[in-house]
Amino acid sequence: MANVEISLKETMTMIEGALGAAVVDYTSGMALGTMGGGKDLDLAVAAAGNTDVIRAKVRTMEHLGLKGEIEDILITLGSQYHLIRLLKGRQGSGLFIYLVLDRDRSNLAMARHQLKRIETELEV
């Protein structure tokens, strides 16, 4: 099992095109850890903002009577992919991994696959 820091390091080094990553508590909006980012990508602000995305989607699913669980949410921008992956299991409840990818340097399908593997090894 890997802790948050190790998982974020692995995310940034193993996923080609990764620009930033965070593990976030979506009940509070606080990042438990971040790696990457920069002046144009404030991961603390993104973490808080993306909790609103998750909450809105959960409310919408409830209103629609949808019973499934959210696996991930993809936001596609002109030059980036923003991937929000909700963590499963007892230890991941209420948490998500937020990953920002450079569209020109990343493979979205491979990034999703690798992020799923990293999730299984993460211990919070």
Side-chain angles (χ1 to χ4, degrees):
M1 290 298 191
N3 67 21
V4 170
E5 183 180 352
I6 292 169
S7 293
L8 288 172
K9 283 181 183 177
E10 186 176 355
T11 300
M12 293 299 294
T13 57
M14 299 299 292
I15 299 179
E16 191 171 340
L19 300 173
V23 174
V24 184
D25 176 343
Y26 67 80
T27 57
S28 69
M30 299 297 295
L32 302 179
T34 63
M35 191 157 291
K39 67 179 180 105
D40 294 330
L41 178 58
D42 185 330
L43 291 171
V45 171
N50 282 302
T51 61
D52 292 335
V53 172
I54 292 171
R55 290 177 188 154
K57 187 60 186 172
V58 168
R59 269 194 318 274
T60 301
M61 290 176 65
E62 288 171 356
H63 291 307
L64 294 172
L66 299 175
K67 302 294 183 207
E69 292 182 348
I70 299 170
E71 185 173 328
D72 60 36
I73 298 170
L74 172 64
I75 300 168
T76 305
L77 304 178
S79 63
Q80 298 174 345
Y81 293 121
H82 291 229
L83 190 57
I84 302 166
R85 180 167 183 85
L86 278 71
L87 301 181
K88 305 284 187 259
R90 181 171 48 91
Q91 291 195 347
S93 182
L95 302 177
F96 68 91
I97 299 175
Y98 173 64
L99 174 63
V100 179
L101 299 166
D102 180 317
R103 274 184 72 165
D104 293 334
R105 297 185 309 123
S106 64
N107 177 322
L108 183 57
M110 185 58 76
R112 289 181 74 218
H113 177 73
Q114 290 174 328
L115 201 55
K116 186 175 183 177
R117 182 188 52 76
I118 291 167
E119 171 197 357
T120 63
E121 298 172 3
L122 176 62
E123 185 174 297
V124 181

